[in-house]
Amino acid sequence: MARRSKGLQFYKKRKRISVGLIKEIANWVFLGALAVLLAFVFVYSVGIKTSVIGVSMEPCLYNGQSVLINKVIYSITEPKRGDVVVFLPNGNENSHLYIKRVIGLPGEKVTIQDGRILIDGYFYEEDEHFDTIEDGGIAEATVLLGEDEYFVLGDNRNNSEDSRSANIGPVHIDMIIGKAWFHMASEEEPMGPIK
């Protein structure tokens, strides 16, 4: 006797998760976790975080803004003119970290005359957003930078304690902690590199 068909029948096909798919998902999860771990280790071994104290670096950096410091860069290369460096004034471990811009390099003569900076007798060309300097401090008489010494200024030239001040003066390379690398997000602008 022939079996009679009762119409169309649908079978639910069970979905199978293959071993290959599980391995691939596990591999992506592992690689993602590894990337996050490596980024964390890199940032915390190469950089440290500090906060800006005062208004001396405005408009580049603002009071209270967090800054990530690359503390390894100057063991590979030397500070360049225009770099924003973080240092301990006179190597004083009890002082807060200062953040300033490198203007004069080792062996150069820095003078501030008529509100402008001269390096080795030539006017230093700057962006127009820097104010004319009202007080040249010790740089009104020429400052000869020694080997491994840097002349640093705050971007807010008339409201900054920097290399013009006798109690700070030229900054020796041994006092420099590192280069200000990134500023953290603030109300004024998002996180980004320091220029």
Side-chain angles (χ1 to χ4, degrees):
M1 179 167 157
R3 279 185 115 188
R4 211 167 152 205
S5 174
K6 295 184 179 181
L8 294 174
Q9 292 186 6
F10 295 97
Y11 294 98
K12 284 189 179 179
K13 191 174 184 180
R14 288 189 179 183
K15 291 184 181 179
R16 290 189 181 188
I17 299 176
S18 69
V19 175
L21 180 61
I22 291 174
K23 283 183 180 180
E24 189 167 336
I25 291 171
N27 190 31
W28 280 106
V29 169
F30 173 75
L31 288 175
L34 182 63
V36 168
L37 177 66
L38 288 175
F40 180 80
V41 168
F42 176 76
V43 167
Y44 283 96
S45 64
V46 172
I48 56 176
K49 186 176 138 186
T50 190
S51 293
V52 177
I53 297 175
V55 296
S56 71
M57 284 303 291
E58 288 183 2
C60 178
L61 299 169
Y62 295 90
N63 185 37
Q65 192 171 27
S66 294
V67 174
L68 186 62
I69 305 164
N70 182 335
K71 63 183 182 179
V72 175
I73 187 93
Y74 295 137
S75 61
I76 299 167
T77 183
E78 296 180 1
K80 296 172 186 55
R81 194 178 330 274
D83 282 1
V84 177
V85 296
V86 181
F87 66 97
L88 282 169
N90 301 312
N92 182 354
E93 297 287 331
N94 296 321
S95 176
H96 67 85
L97 295 174
Y98 278 53
I99 302 173
K100 308 291 177 195
R101 190 173 301 277
V102 173
I103 301 299
L105 302 174
E108 293 181 335
K109 294 176 186 172
V110 179
T111 310
I112 296 178
Q113 183 180 74
D114 298 325
R116 294 185 63 197
I117 303 164
L118 287 93
I119 297 176
D120 290 336
Y122 296 97
F123 283 109
Y124 174 58
E125 295 299 324
E126 293 189 289
D127 292 341
E128 64 278 349
H129 73 267
F130 292 112
D131 293 333
T132 301
I133 299 171
E134 294 172 5
D135 180 14
I138 64 170
E140 286 179 354
T142 300
V143 174
L144 174 61
L145 297 172
E147 188 176 328
D148 296 328
E149 285 185 336
Y150 297 85
F151 193 88
V152 299
L153 292 175
D155 286 357
N156 186 354
R157 299 288 156 81
N158 294 313
N159 199 354
S160 175
E161 185 179 33
D162 45 40
S163 288
R164 296 172 291 170
S165 305
N167 61 329
I168 294 181
V171 177
H172 194 275
I173 189 68
D174 293 341
M175 295 181 221
I176 297 176
I177 304 297
K179 180 178 181 178
W181 202 9
F182 281 92
H183 59 82
M184 304 307 194
S186 70
E187 291 179 15
E188 289 80 19
E189 57 184 294
M191 179 177 172
I194 296 174
K195 298 175 185 176

